[in-house]
């Protein structure tokens, strides 16, 4: 009976490691079902889909949008936040992997022979060394693994992963907001410029009638 105790303890440890006290959350139902597959765009079509404002063939608009995407402070902040959350996710999942610790040390000790116990007879021995040089090297390697009995580490990892997805969505939302505001302002200016040109044409026509 005693021989089965270590085996039973090991099996129990692995079973408990697979358990988690975190309650399961039901995924919400989607309002509309998306298709199972999509046709991936290639070549110029894919590049146009990513930079769809180029379909207007307006160099001024393209330069304005590119400058805005590079220099907008809100987008820089959102991108930095995504990178921060990504690193936090990597930190949160690290305890699920085994950890390896390695260290190498070296020490060198030089002691004169005319002091201490050897000082009394060192002067009486011909060609006795003046100093004792001792060099010592040591190396160690350790492997550790923490069993996640109650699912604490896995729950923290999942929470960090969901936060990463949410932060990326916030970045895309901010990017769309910056694009829409920039393009709306640009087209409004173009519209006002066209209205101004028409107004000057009317002024010229009225001047000719006068």
């Amino acid at each position: 009976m005693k021989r089965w105790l270590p085996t039973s303890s090991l099996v129990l440890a692995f079973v408990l490691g697979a358990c988690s006290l975190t309650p399961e959350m039901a995924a919400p139902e989607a309002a509309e079902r998306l298709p199972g597959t999509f046709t991936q765009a290639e070549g110029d079509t894919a590049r146009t889909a990513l930079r769809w404002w180029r379909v207007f063939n307006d160099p001024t608009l393209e330069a304005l949008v590119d400058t805005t995407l590079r220099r907008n402070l809100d987008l820089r902040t959102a991108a930095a936040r995504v990178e921060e959350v990504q690193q936090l996710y990597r930190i949160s999942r690290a305890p699920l992997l085994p950890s390896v610790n390695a260290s190498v040390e070296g020490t060198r000790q030089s002691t004169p022979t005319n002091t201490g116990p050897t000082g009394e007879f060192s002067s009486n021995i011909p060609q006795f060394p003046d100093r004792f040089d001792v060099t010592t090297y040591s190396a160690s390697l350790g492997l550790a693994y923490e069993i996640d009995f109650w699912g604490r580490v896995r729950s923290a990892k999942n929470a960090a992963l969901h936060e990463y997805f949410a932060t990326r969505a916030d970045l895309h939302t901010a990017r769309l907001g910056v694009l829409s505001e920039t393009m709306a302002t640009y087209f409004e200016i173009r519209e006002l410029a066209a209205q101004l040109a028409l107004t000057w044409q009317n002024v010229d026509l009225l001047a000719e009638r006068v």
Side-chain angles (χ1 to χ4, degrees):
M1 183 62 180
K2 293 182 179 180
R3 290 180 301 176
W4 292 96
L5 289 179
T7 305
S8 302
S9 301
L10 183 60
V11 173
L12 180 61
F14 278 104
V15 171
L16 291 177
C19 298
S20 176
L21 297 180
T22 305
E24 295 291 337
M25 298 182 62
E29 292 292 336
E32 295 182 2
R33 293 293 179 181
L34 297 177
T37 58
F38 294 91
T39 302
Q40 184 176 2
E42 298 180 356
D44 295 337
T45 304
R47 288 189 290 270
T48 303
L50 293 176
R51 307 179 67 84
W52 50 268
W53 54 88
R54 292 190 173 182
V55 298
F56 295 105
N57 293 324
D58 191 333
T60 303
L61 175 62
E62 294 177 8
L64 180 62
V65 171
D66 292 340
T67 302
T68 303
L69 292 178
R70 287 196 306 267
R71 300 184 180 180
N72 186 269
L73 296 180
D74 293 336
L75 291 181
R76 289 185 179 182
T77 303
R81 176 59 181 165
V82 171
E83 185 176 357
E84 176 188 5
V85 174
Q86 183 179 11
Q87 300 302 328
L88 291 176
Y89 167 71
R90 293 177 178 176
I91 294 175
S92 65
R93 70 175 182 176
L96 292 174
L97 304 175
S99 60
V100 179
N101 299 321
S103 64
V104 178
E105 296 181 358
T107 59
R108 184 176 182 275
Q109 183 178 6
S110 180
T111 306
T113 58
N114 58 358
T115 61
T118 60
E120 300 178 357
F121 58 86
S122 61
S123 59
N124 300 325
I125 300 177
Q127 298 182 352
F128 195 81
D130 295 334
R131 307 184 69 87
F132 287 141
D133 295 328
V134 179
T135 303
T136 305
Y137 298 98
S138 63
S140 63
L141 178 65
L143 178 65
Y145 179 73
E146 177 184 359
I147 300 177
D148 190 17
F149 283 103
W150 313 115
R152 176 186 59 84
V153 178
R154 282 174 294 168
S155 299
K157 183 202 70 172
N158 293 333
L161 180 61
H162 293 160
E163 185 178 359
Y164 169 70
F165 289 149
T167 308
R168 283 192 60 185
D170 292 340
L171 174 60
H172 294 322
T173 302
R175 187 173 184 271
L176 288 176
V178 170
L179 285 175
S180 61
E181 184 177 356
T182 302
M183 298 182 67
T185 304
Y186 175 75
F187 285 124
E188 184 178 356
I189 295 175
R190 290 291 302 270
E191 182 182 1
L192 292 175
Q195 292 179 1
L196 182 61
L198 291 175
T199 302
W200 279 112
Q201 290 180 5
N202 292 332
V203 170
D204 294 338
L205 290 175
L206 292 175
E208 291 179 1
R209 292 182 180 180
V210 171

